[in-house]
Amino acid sequence: MKRLLFAILLAAAVLLPASALAQDASNQSASSTPDRARTVAAFVSADGSSFLDTHQVHWLVANPASLSGYQNQRVKVKFQLLSGQNRAQILSVKPIPVYSRTSANPSDSAFRR
């Protein structure tokens, strides 16, 4: 019984560090791949060559034609970072709808009895 317990503990001591090294190797290979696409809510600049996200980070755009028509508007931008140029490559742009606040008017017929 003691030998069996010793064998199990020895096997666990050998296999656990090996699995940790395998996980580290997979993380290193994932970091060498290009950045994944990010989606943020942003405000497009007046000239359409950059945008400002909700964390007040200013991003320069590699393809400003994709933001044409959205100048000075709030949009949802899906982009990918270009590693060598430190710019954002726009993948898609969707306008964020602007909602107006409505308030109740006590003189409306809905409030009369």
Side-chain angles (χ1 to χ4, degrees), residues 42-52 58-61 64 67 90:
F43 183 78
V44 180
S45 67
D47 60 354
S49 65
S50 63
F51 62 90
L52 188 68
H58 188 258
W59 297 94
L60 293 176
V61 177
L67 292 179
I90 304 294

Side-chain angles (χ1 to χ4, degrees), residues 64-97:
S66 62
L67 292 179
S68 65
Y70 296 106
Q71 290 87 358
N72 295 326
Q73 293 183 21
R74 303 247 335 129
V75 293
K76 184 187 269 190
V77 178
K78 184 174 183 180
F79 67 98
Q80 188 172 17
L81 289 179
L82 298 176
S83 60
Q85 301 172 358
N86 213 7
R87 292 177 170 246
Q89 177 77 28
I90 304 294
L91 302 175
S92 69
V93 180
K94 294 181 184 176
I96 296 177

Side-chain angles (χ1 to χ4, degrees), residues 100-106 108 111:
S100 62
R101 293 188 117 176
T102 58
S103 61
N105 187 358
D108 283 346
F111 289 102

